[in-house]
Amino acid sequence: MADIAVLGAGPAGLAAAVAAHRAGARVTLVDAGPRVGGQYWRHQDGDDGRGHHLWSTLCRLREVPLDFRPHHAIWHVERTGDGFVTHTSAGEITSQRLVIAAGAHDRQLPFPGWTLPGVFTAGGAQALLKGQGVAAGDRVVVAGTGPFLLPVAAGLAEAGARVLGVYEAGSPVGFARHPAAVLRNASRITEGAAYLRVLRRHGIAFHTRKTVVAAHGDDQVRAVTLGSLDRDWHVVATEDVECDTVAVGYGFTPQLEIPLQLGCDTHLDVDGSLVATADDAQRASVPGVYLAGEVCGVGGARLSLMEGELAGLHAAGVVPDKRIVRRRAALRAFATAMHRTYPVRPGWQTWLDDDTLVCRCEEVPARDVRRSVVELGATDPRAVKLLARPGMGLCQGRVCGYATACLAGPVTAAGLRDLSARPIAQPVTLGSLAEQHVEEP
């Protein structure tokens, strides 16, 4: 049995594993991927991730190496009398304590034509570039809201794609309302300025109060409609632009399947996402469980590193340096400022026509979702799910859950919990489960 099982090998999980391992704890690091790094430090084939400074440091710390379990997709976690059992696609892992660093995935807003080939999430386009070295398309429109659009556009441009423009539905001037948070994180502004310089070098225009409100084509995206927006994201003017690829992103959704399986408390974050509740020591409401990174609220890799280190130290019974605590507070303040600067406004719902698919797995159009509320009396996302079937397909609401909650009425923590709780955290084959329970002859 391990002292600590760290679930997720991205920035938060790696930092937690390093800190706990340095403190002398027996650590098992678990990840579905073939190598460390997670979605943020995504590596191409042939690169096992050991070049990253965190992994290199970890390998030099002790004569006894860290127990790293790649290719272990976690599908369920449960409490036992003396700790926890983590069920994975490759076997069970027992531990006394847990650090959950499951990360996040793209938050998507549907619009007419969003299911056409050539429409990517911003994170999907970035993953294809980082993981495979492939630009998503030749003539790309990058749109949505939030600072993540900048590295996506810059990366595509540097890879040889022709980025036709970056279309930000909001406006970065909102940061001016949070001077203290900005001054404490000046390097984040410098980072954004560096991406803007890349865009200027490639002749890429950055537009505000403008985004993609429809995509057009038959078997492939051929053009998009760009909408000029008012402050609530109602369309006030439109223009069409020919392109073959769209990379669109509206922030990220924390992956909370495991915290919810364990009964951890949750709450709504500033950006309207459901997040797991952690105290100052990164402890969850469930004893023995610690949380780090995006599951506590989306804030970027630097914040994930700080939270991971704190979670690993506290899980190992070590009191952390106060400088780490202060740095976490500064980074969390910047994350709050970012969410307040780039909110998702309710006007996006007016972009949908009756035939726009909300749930692509079950092919549920906006018409059926609205009918379940207006005509059939659904008052929460769970009722909408039961009446119209959004969230009952292969993705189990990961893609359509947020949009469904918005269309069902005011977004609440209870409504999002109903759409986020899953007894099986991610797909696992019956064959892999059967192989774990073969009886000896």
Side-chain angles (χ1 to χ4, degrees):
M1 174 185 287
D3 295 327
I4 303 167
V6 179
L7 311 185
L14 270 177
V18 168
H21 193 61
R22 181 184 283 124
R26 292 170 298 169
V27 179
T28 297
L29 178 62
V30 189
D31 198 89
R35 56 186 72 88
V36 298
Q39 299 295 324
Y40 184 76
W41 288 313
R42 182 182 289 269
H43 305 282
Q44 297 184 23
D45 289 342
D47 180 359
D48 66 0
R50 291 174 182 262
H52 188 271
H53 74 279
L54 269 175
W55 184 260
S56 300
T57 300
L58 188 60
C59 292
R60 293 195 304 267
L61 286 178
R62 298 169 59 87
E63 293 181 0
V64 179
L66 173 76
D67 180 16
F68 175 49
R69 306 284 184 92
H71 300 291
H72 280 58
I74 301 167
W75 62 273
H76 191 72
V77 180
E78 61 180 330
R79 287 185 64 96
T80 60
D82 55 354
F84 302 88
V85 177
T86 300
H87 300 273
T88 81
S89 59
E92 297 177 351
I93 297 166
T94 59
S95 63
Q96 295 178 352
R97 296 175 294 283
L98 290 176
V99 175
I100 301 175
H105 55 82
D106 288 82
R107 179 168 61 187
Q108 300 185 54
L109 300 182
F111 53 86
W114 73 296
T115 59
L116 281 171
V119 178
F120 292 78
T121 64
Q126 184 83 317
L128 186 62
L129 186 60
K130 282 186 174 182
Q132 307 298 326
V134 175
D138 296 322
R139 304 176 70 247
V140 187
V141 169
V142 178
T145 194
F148 184 60
L149 302 181
L150 296 179
V152 172
L156 289 169
E158 295 282 67
R162 182 184 174 192
V163 179
L164 304 178
V166 178
Y167 298 91
E168 164 62 60
S171 172
V173 298
F175 276 120
R177 293 191 291 272
H178 309 280
V182 171
L183 289 174
R184 294 171 70 189
N185 295 271
S187 61
R188 302 296 298 273
I189 303 302
T190 302
E191 181 182 353
Y195 289 128
L196 287 173
R197 285 196 295 272
V198 173
L199 298 188
R200 282 198 297 269
R201 188 170 70 247
H202 288 275
I204 301 168
F206 178 81
H207 307 267
T208 61
R209 303 290 183 197
K210 205 169 190 177
T211 195
V212 171
V213 296
H216 312 285
D218 36 32
D219 59 344
Q220 166 70 33
V221 172
R222 306 296 178 188
V224 294
T225 296
L226 297 169
S228 297
L229 310 176
D230 63 17
R231 291 185 60 83
D232 288 326
W233 289 14
H234 295 97
V235 177
V236 296
T238 62
E239 64 175 300
D240 290 345
V241 173
E242 294 184 355
C243 63
D244 59 35
T245 306
V246 183
V248 61
Y250 289 93
F252 297 90
T253 297
Q255 297 192 161
L256 297 185
E257 291 88 351
I258 296 171
L260 289 174
Q261 286 177 357
L262 292 168
C264 296
D265 288 346
T266 57
H267 64 276
L268 278 185
D269 203 3
V270 179
D271 66 343
S273 293
L274 186 70
V275 300
T277 303
D279 66 11
D280 290 342
Q282 300 299 138
R283 286 186 296 250
S285 60
V286 175
V289 177
Y290 296 79
L291 306 165
E294 313 290 47
V295 294
C296 306
V298 175
R302 297 181 189 181
L303 176 58
S304 293
L305 289 171
M306 293 296 102
E307 291 183 343
E309 185 172 358
L310 287 170
L313 289 173
H314 283 292
V318 176
V319 177
D321 190 310
K322 291 183 178 180
R323 289 175 295 182
I324 304 173
V325 177
R326 289 195 296 268
R327 186 60 184 147
R328 177 190 57 184
L331 289 165
R332 181 54 71 186
F334 186 85
T336 299
M338 178 184 68
H339 293 319
R340 294 192 187 283
T341 299
Y342 297 104
V344 173
R345 300 292 188 185
W348 72 266
Q349 299 175 41
T350 64
W351 310 344
L352 312 184
D353 56 35
D354 283 346
D355 294 327
T356 302
L357 291 183
V358 174
C359 173
R360 59 196 306 169
C361 296
E362 291 292 294
E363 298 185 343
V364 179
R367 175 194 302 107
D368 291 357
V369 175
R370 288 166 172 160
R371 177 173 176 268
S372 68
V373 175
V374 176
E375 297 181 21
L376 302 181
T379 57
D380 57 59
R382 183 174 181 274
V384 172
K385 179 179 178 179
L386 293 173
L387 292 169
R389 296 190 59 81
M392 289 192 176
L394 290 175
C395 85
Q396 287 292 287
R398 291 173 179 83
V399 175
C400 67
Y402 179 77
T404 299
C406 291
L407 291 168
V411 176
T412 65
L416 288 178
R417 273 197 300 271
D418 287 339
L419 296 174
S420 303
R422 302 175 184 96
I424 297 178
Q426 55 183 303
V428 60
T429 65
L430 293 177
S432 67
L433 297 180
E435 289 173 0
Q436 300 173 33
H437 300 281
V438 175
E439 295 185 5
E440 294 293 333

